[in-house]
Amino acid sequence: SSTGVVVDEAGVIFPIVEELPGGRSVTTPCAVEIIYDGDRYLKEVDVLLDAGHGGPETGSVGANGLIERDLSLPVALLTERELITLGYSVELTRRDNLHMPIRQRTAIANALSPRAFVPIHHNGGALRRSDKPGIETFHQVGSTESRRLAGLLFEEINNAFSDYWVPWVATVHRGASTRLKEPGLDAYGVLRYTPGIPTVISEAGYLSNPAEAQLLA
């Protein structure tokens, strides 16, 4: 069950660890435990979006200089805007160029128990040419809801890119799939540390492909 979070005036989220007589024990973006009541208390949310990377953690870097860290945040903000117009409540794990460990991102998710938790990423490394965008979504190995969400997200992102043509690249992971650390265990901590919450990682396009990096820009 969700324990809730407190949010400061800049939109930074602090997941609650414990309610204490002197205030709420929370963890900061750098995962330090402090006493803080914040400006706003939030118990739950429909959708939690996680803009990948942040701070010194750049993620993939395009040939045109476009950085995954800097691309994922505006994509998350645009997604938030669209979801709000559809009537959903939405929060972001970060709204600025913050560095945040995976454990803190998943602590926010576990504190809010969203109906969907979506870490937003953009890929790098593929070299094999493809006649279709090499979009990947990764779901939790033991969750049918996560698997269904991964399929839906793949279809929607793929449809969004279908209006364009560039010399795409892809890998064998194109589509919705799992990636395992060992039998029955998700390789990605953001999936592994959120049991019971439908979580899907989106990897939309390859910044390492100059044509895709230009399109994403």
Side-chain angles (χ1 to χ4, degrees):
S1 63
S2 59
T3 54
V5 303
V6 292
V7 187
D8 74 7
E9 61 182 8
V12 179
I13 295 179
F14 300 78
I16 297 169
V17 177
E18 188 179 4
E19 297 278 356
L20 299 172
R24 294 183 171 109
S25 173
V26 303
T27 52
T28 68
C30 53
V32 175
E33 194 167 325
I34 63 171
I35 303 297
Y36 180 57
D37 280 333
D39 294 283
R40 177 166 60 99
Y41 170 72
L42 184 63
K43 175 69 173 176
E44 57 190 9
V45 71
D46 290 327
V47 180
L48 179 65
L49 302 172
D50 177 38
H53 306 287
E57 186 185 333
T58 62
S60 299
V61 179
N64 59 352
L66 184 60
I67 297 172
E68 181 182 3
R69 170 197 65 200
D70 301 333
L71 174 61
S72 296
L73 181 56
V75 170
L77 290 166
L78 288 166
T79 305
E80 176 189 39
R81 187 177 71 183
E82 293 298 318
L83 286 168
I84 288 173
T85 64
L86 294 172
Y88 296 100
S89 60
V90 186
E91 289 292 335
L92 274 63
T93 57
R94 69 176 180 97
R95 294 181 179 273
D96 206 341
N97 187 24
L98 289 175
H99 180 256
M100 192 181 302
I102 292 295
R103 288 281 191 179
Q104 183 67 8
R105 297 170 192 262
T106 56
I108 293 170
N110 288 318
L112 287 172
S113 293
R115 294 168 60 185
F117 177 37
V118 183
I120 296 172
H121 289 260
H122 297 82
N123 234 328
L127 297 173
R128 188 181 70 185
R129 290 295 179 196
S130 171
D131 60 353
K132 298 176 182 178
I135 296 151
E136 300 171 4
T137 58
F138 294 98
H139 61 82
Q140 293 156 310
V141 64
S143 170
T144 55
E145 287 185 320
S146 174
R147 183 167 64 249
R148 180 170 182 269
L149 178 60
L152 292 170
L153 282 174
F154 169 75
E155 289 176 6
E156 292 294 333
I157 299 170
N158 189 65
N159 289 342
F161 279 113
S162 67
D163 290 338
Y164 306 92
W165 186 90
V166 299
W168 306 105
V169 294
T171 72
V172 295
H173 295 290
R174 180 182 183 274
S177 64
T178 56
R179 189 170 286 183
L180 302 182
K181 182 178 182 180
E182 55 188 69
L185 190 63
D186 288 304
Y188 297 117
V190 74
L191 300 178
R192 198 166 62 249
Y193 302 145
T194 51
I197 298 171
T199 304
V200 172
I201 300 170
S202 71
E203 294 274 7
Y206 278 86
L207 285 170
S208 54
N209 178 7
E212 292 184 52
Q214 185 58 40
L215 177 61
L216 290 165

